[in-house]
Amino acid sequence: MRALLGRIRAFRRPRPKVSVLLSSYNYEKFIEQSIQSVLAQTYRPIELIIVDDGSSDNSRAVIESACAKSPIPVKLIFKKNAGQASAINAAFEASTGDVIALLDSDDYWYPKKLEELVSFIGLNPDGGVYQHQLDTPYGRKRNSVMSADVFALWKQWGKGLLNVPDDHTALCFSPFLPTSGLAFRRSVLEKILPIPAALSTCPDAFLTRTAICQGPLYSIPQTLGFWRDHGDNMTYRSDFSFQEFWLPVILPALNSYYRNAGIDFQLAYEPELRSRLCLTRIFGPG
């Protein structure tokens, strides 16, 4: 009965206005499919905002052609190259929606992605992060996804200090899907942005691990998009590895956010103090 009442309330609640933020850099081969996947959504966003971060290929012509007959309002921003954080910041500043859905230009969504997202948010209106599973050329991007008050778990287990190497399963620190599977309430992002300019890539790492301070992580069970593995993905570059980028750039940026926001919590990286994480104690049985 409680579930039924929840669905009735969600049905009566006004449907949110969705802004799609699409950032791109030198992906002329892929961006048309990415754009078309937004324009083909069964639930229409109120706007598509595309930020080209100083591409040197033919991206601009491809973008303008793909948007020429768009059934929804499109805002195009062509700027000097400054990294993905800068692109997302610029896109958010130009957006007006209640819900912000992110898409990388080398990925694409399935037609019912926004329809499922909006329905899911209606049932779970307090989320800090919303995400869904993504397909890849090799199967699903993650073997499983979870919904939980992740930040409460971090604080509970770490007592205000989470040693990242403790999470040998990657469940506690990294339960998130990549950018193209993520969405946020505008009210949450207003407390987080701008993303630090140093995050020229992996801005999703910052967004997810700050947004969960504002509400739970909710994972939609459906697979609603495709993450393209084309060999040029930033995740494959050695200069953006955990040792070369996460430790000197992302972790300090996160700790700076927690400190400036008055959140009594910090991340640490101390492999010599690593302890075994008891998953049943943290996440419960099953």
Side-chain angles (χ1 to χ4, degrees):
M1 178 61 72
R2 184 177 298 176
L4 177 60
L5 289 174
R7 291 182 181 275
I8 291 173
R9 293 191 189 100
F11 179 77
R12 291 175 177 172
R13 191 177 293 119
R15 304 275 269 177
K17 298 176 181 178
V18 179
S19 295
V20 177
L21 311 189
L22 197 164
S23 59
S24 183
Y25 176 68
N26 281 351
Y27 277 153
E28 63 172 319
K29 296 183 294 184
F30 308 123
I31 192 168
E32 181 174 4
Q33 185 175 18
S34 182
I35 292 171
Q36 293 303 329
S37 77
V38 176
L39 303 185
Q41 290 295 304
T42 56
Y43 183 95
R44 284 189 175 179
I46 62 165
E47 59 193 1
L48 167 61
I49 302 172
I50 303 174
V51 177
D52 182 87
D53 190 41
S55 293
S56 57
D57 61 4
N58 198 40
S59 289
R60 180 165 188 154
V62 174
I63 291 169
E64 291 176 338
S65 175
C67 297
K69 296 182 179 180
S70 170
I72 62 173
V74 177
K75 300 176 184 177
L76 303 181
I77 301 173
F78 297 96
K79 57 187 285 297
K80 292 182 179 180
N81 179 252
Q84 195 175 11
S86 170
I88 292 177
N89 289 337
F92 182 73
E93 287 180 10
S95 71
T96 61
D98 309 310
V99 172
I100 307 297
L102 304 181
L103 178 60
D104 284 341
S105 60
D106 51 341
D107 302 330
Y108 59 89
W109 291 338
Y110 300 153
K112 289 192 173 183
K113 181 255 173 63
L114 293 183
E115 182 179 338
E116 296 290 347
L117 171 66
V118 166
S119 296
F120 190 77
I121 292 176
L123 296 173
N124 305 279
D126 63 331
V129 180
Y130 299 94
Q131 67 176 9
H132 60 76
Q133 183 65 267
L134 294 163
D135 282 327
T136 78
Y138 317 107
R140 293 181 300 176
K141 183 62 177 170
R142 280 200 169 284
N143 291 329
S144 62
V145 293
M146 71 178 212
S147 293
D149 190 343
V150 175
F151 194 61
L153 295 174
W154 284 9
K155 292 189 295 183
Q156 168 194 329
W157 192 80
K159 297 180 180 179
L161 179 69
L162 182 67
N163 187 20
V164 175
D166 283 344
D167 183 23
H168 67 289
T169 64
L171 281 175
C172 227
F173 186 61
S174 299
F176 308 106
L177 272 298
T179 304
S180 297
L182 300 175
F184 305 86
R185 290 180 291 139
R186 181 178 201 85
S187 59
V188 169
L189 291 185
E190 286 175 340
K191 298 174 182 177
I192 294 168
L193 296 181
I195 306 167
L199 274 75
S200 55
T201 189
C202 299
D204 54 320
F206 180 85
L207 288 174
T208 50
R209 291 165 180 81
T210 53
I212 56 168
C213 301
Q214 309 298 328
L217 165 66
Y218 286 121
S219 296
I220 304 172
Q222 295 95 325
T223 302
L224 299 173
F226 191 90
W227 183 87
R228 197 188 302 271
D229 185 342
H230 47 74
D232 253 346
N233 308 77
M234 290 293 188
T235 52
Y236 293 134
R237 288 179 47 174
S238 60
D239 51 335
F240 293 128
S241 68
F242 187 82
Q243 294 291 334
E244 297 296 325
F245 192 71
W246 273 79
L247 285 183
V249 178
I250 295 178
L251 261 62
L254 290 169
N255 282 335
S256 178
Y257 170 81
Y258 303 140
R259 185 168 53 253
N260 293 336
I263 299 171
D264 187 18
F265 179 81
Q266 291 283 280
L267 295 166
Y269 183 75
E270 299 176 341
E272 68 279 5
L273 300 179
R274 178 173 176 169
S275 60
R276 185 169 179 81
L277 196 63
C278 179
L279 293 183
T280 56
R281 183 160 67 88
I282 298 300
F283 296 105

